[in-house]
């Protein structure tokens, strides 16, 4: 994608922040396991969070393609910090589209400022892919819902300030039509949270959220009762393309480091860059990364133009994390025995991007979505 002047300006801000503030401490942050809220506030001040959301709430009203540019740049410095930015745009859009004005005013400006961190609770212990079969119960009691059950595998579970929670208000037979979404503050009585010991993304902190008779005002509902599922699905087309660009940005960092290394490292009397057995695998990955990048921006451009982009977003959501993982793996090998050391960031980047081969929908589910876009319901005959 060729950037316009405005996109270049915000790219330069994101790039400077990512390379000066994020990249040098990417590995130290993993060791600490702490999500430094000061970084989020700094991103808020720089206009890097929720830049697509309306100016009245503190955003900049920018296009989705520009949000992709920011995601790619931030992920170059720290894949996990870019997850916060993608989350603000995804969840901010869901809230804007369906919450009462008082709720929008309570959450969206604080998210854009980097003051409030939100999580989204869809997955349950019994399953994530078949999200419409969720069981967490929301029973009506006067002017409140009462939540009972467990959500699991939730990003930012133990550190979010609030959650968008999807719960069953209808019967199990209603499937997706019986699901309602609502805003729930993390300090509401009856909520308990855990943190998992994950393969990667330590500062995101994935875990379970338990709801024991948690009372949520009906006014916290997003959209109408039973419409929760359609809201989240619409938003995911957007975040899938952004996630692919996060993965591309992260892989590009390893590629750039590998290109620099092959010019310096010597073997058999000269730099290893003279061996095509060294450079061609990097060229192959650079080519694949470039292709996924363009397809991702195409999905975002279609969204910005109000055109369908479900298939394109699902394509890059499976291809992006996989291509990034393969690329970083190749870079790790290029560094020889140094690559195998935890002193270098490639192993961490590989572990971090791998999470998004599962999170936000697995490759299998993405391929199912593309097939459904091509042949319709015949692709999912078994679905309820
Ligand atoms: C890093 C990370 C972050 C996450 N963050 C969140 C979050 O913030 N909020 C949240 O709600 N969830 C989150 N999740 C959970 C994630 O959305 C689910 O793990 C995912 O949807 C898959 O669900 P599952 O793990 O229950 O696998 P299952 O649904 O049990 O699937 C198991 C396997 O079977 C395959 N499979 C299942 N059905 C089909 C089918 N019809 N066709 C082909 N293959 C199929 C899947 O691809 C998978 O490989 C996160 C997960 C990870 C790893």
């Amino acid at each position: 994608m060729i950037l316009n002047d405005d996109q270049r300006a915000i790219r330069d801000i994101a790039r400077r922040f990512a390379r000066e503030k994020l990249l040098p401490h990417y590995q130290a942050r993993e060791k600490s396991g702490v999500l430094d809220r000061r970084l989020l506030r700094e991103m808020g001040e720089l206009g890097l969070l929720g830049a697509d959301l309306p100016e009245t709430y503190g955003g900049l009203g920018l296009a989705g393609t520009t949000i992709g540019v920011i995601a790619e740049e931030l992920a170059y410095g720290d894949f996990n910090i870019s997850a916060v930015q993608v989350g603000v745009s995804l969840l901010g859009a869901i809230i804007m589209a369906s919450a009462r004005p008082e709720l929008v005013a309570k959450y969206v400006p604080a998210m854009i400022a980097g003051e409030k961190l939100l999580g989204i609770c869809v997955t349950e212990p019994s399953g994530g892919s078949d999200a419409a079969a969720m069981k967490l119960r929301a029973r009506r009691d006067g002017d409140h819902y009462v939540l009972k059950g467990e959500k699991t595998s939730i990003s930012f579970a133990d550190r979010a300030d609030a959650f968008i929670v999807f719960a069953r208000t209808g019967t199990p037979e209603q499937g997706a039509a019986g699901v309602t979404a609502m805003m729930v503050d993390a300090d509401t009585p009856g909520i308990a949270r855990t943190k998992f010991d994950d393969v990667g993304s330590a500062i995101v902190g994935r875990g379970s959220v338990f709801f024991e008779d948690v009372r949520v005002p009906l006014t916290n509902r997003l959209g109408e009762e039973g419409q929760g599922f359609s809201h989240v699905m619409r938003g995911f087309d957007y975040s899938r393309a952004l996630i692919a660009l996060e993965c591309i940005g992260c892989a590009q960092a390893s590629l750039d480091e590998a290109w620099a290394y092959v010019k310096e490292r010597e073997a058999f009397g000269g730099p290893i860059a003279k061996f095509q057995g060294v450079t061609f695998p990097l060229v192959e990955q650079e080519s694949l990364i470039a292709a996924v990048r363009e397809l991702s921006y195409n999905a975002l451009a279609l969204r910005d133009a109000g055109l369908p982009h479900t298939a394109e977003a699902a394509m890059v959501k499976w291809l992006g994390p996989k291509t990034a993982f393969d690329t970083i793996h190749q870079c790790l090998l290029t560094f020889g025995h140094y690559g195998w050391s935890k002193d270098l960031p490639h192993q961490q980047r590989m572990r971090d991007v791998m999470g998004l081969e599962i999170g936000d929908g697995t490759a299998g589910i993405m391929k199912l979505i593309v097939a459904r876009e091509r042949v319709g319901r015949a692709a999912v005959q078994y679905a309820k």
Side-chain angles (χ1 to χ4, degrees):
M1 189 179 67
I2 297 170
L3 305 189
N4 62 32
D5 288 348
D6 290 345
Q7 287 171 326
R8 267 201 301 277
I10 196 133
R11 182 213 46 201
D12 290 347
I13 293 170
R15 181 169 289 184
R16 202 170 314 121
F17 178 76
R19 299 188 189 195
E20 291 174 9
K21 284 276 168 89
L22 299 181
L23 188 58
H25 310 293
Y26 172 54
Q27 292 172 268
R29 271 191 293 278
E30 172 171 67
K31 287 202 182 82
S32 77
V34 174
L35 178 61
D36 185 349
R37 293 294 193 105
R38 284 171 306 183
L39 286 175
L40 308 194
R41 285 192 283 273
E42 205 173 327
M43 287 197 290
E45 279 163 20
L46 290 170
L48 299 176
L49 295 177
D52 46 345
L53 298 172
E55 291 180 44
T56 37
Y57 293 106
L60 300 168
L62 300 180
T65 43
T66 313
I67 303 311
V69 172
I70 299 171
E72 200 184 334
E73 291 298 333
L74 291 177
Y76 191 104
D78 188 327
F79 184 71
N80 303 307
I81 296 289
S82 72
V84 175
Q85 176 243 348
V86 169
V88 173
S89 286
L90 166 68
L91 305 185
I94 292 174
I95 297 170
M96 292 283 318
S98 49
R100 290 162 181 263
E102 315 87 79
L103 276 190
V104 175
K106 176 178 174 186
Y107 292 104
V108 174
M111 291 162 71
I112 293 172
E115 300 285 349
K116 259 192 205 299
L117 179 67
L118 261 67
I120 180 165
C121 295
V122 180
T123 305
E124 299 189 356
S126 54
S129 302
D130 189 7
M134 68 176 64
K135 297 189 175 86
L136 180 91
R137 190 79 201 131
R139 155 179 79 77
R140 264 191 192 235
D141 180 21
D143 54 2
H144 281 71
Y145 288 113
V146 181
L147 297 180
K148 198 173 181 59
E150 178 185 352
K151 292 289 180 183
T152 196
S153 189
I154 308 305
S155 296
F156 307 111
D158 70 333
R159 52 203 68 185
D161 302 302
F163 298 102
I164 296 180
V165 179
F166 290 79
R168 182 156 298 287
T169 42
T171 62
E173 293 70 36
Q174 283 179 288
V179 172
T180 301
M182 60 196 78
M183 298 297 312
V184 183
D185 284 323
D187 59 1
T188 312
I191 291 182
R193 308 185 268 171
T194 61
K195 181 177 186 292
F196 301 158
D197 184 11
D198 275 345
V199 172
S201 294
I203 65 165
V204 169
R206 200 177 57 105
S208 284
V209 185
F210 298 90
F211 299 85
E212 189 58 49
D213 293 329
V214 173
R215 294 182 68 80
V216 181
L218 297 186
T219 48
N220 276 27
R221 196 174 61 213
L222 298 176
E224 295 304 315
E225 197 166 280
Q227 284 189 357
F229 210 68
S230 54
H231 284 306
V232 76
M233 286 307 154
R234 259 205 310 270
F236 275 175
D237 281 346
Y238 185 27
S239 60
R240 281 173 189 148
L242 296 177
I243 283 170
L245 286 164
E246 279 185 80
C247 294
I248 294 312
C250 185
Q252 190 68 56
S254 278
L255 264 176
D256 290 353
E257 289 161 19
W259 283 123
Y261 185 69
V262 299
K263 285 196 286 182
E264 286 164 17
R265 179 71 172 171
E266 296 198 348
F268 300 96
I272 57 173
K274 72 179 177 180
F275 303 120
Q276 292 171 349
V278 170
T279 54
F280 281 13
L282 294 180
V283 170
E284 286 163 19
Q285 294 311 133
E286 186 91 55
S287 311
L288 292 169
I289 285 288
V292 175
R293 177 184 288 118
E294 292 308 316
L295 187 52
S296 304
Y297 282 121
N298 181 49
L300 292 174
L302 288 169
R303 176 186 184 271
D304 289 342
L307 295 169
H309 55 287
T310 298
E312 290 77 4
M315 285 179 205
V316 293
K317 172 58 184 60
W318 77 262
L319 196 54
K322 183 189 176 340
T323 306
F325 182 89
D326 293 346
T327 301
I328 301 165
H329 180 220
Q330 185 56 52
C331 294
L332 184 152
L333 299 180
T334 304
F335 277 81
H337 75 90
Y338 293 113
W340 184 239
S341 163
K342 283 194 176 171
D343 287 347
L344 292 188
H346 310 297
Q347 43 78 32
Q348 186 184 339
R349 293 194 185 119
M350 266 172 69
R351 290 185 281 106
D352 285 354
V353 299
M354 196 204 301
L356 285 176
E357 291 193 80
I358 306 166
D360 211 84
T362 64
I365 296 306
M366 293 306 116
K367 290 172 191 175
L368 205 63
I369 291 170
V370 178
R372 193 183 59 202
E373 290 295 302
R374 295 292 178 257
V375 299
R377 300 294 296 173
V380 285
Q381 281 299 354
Y382 54 84
K384 281 176 247 163

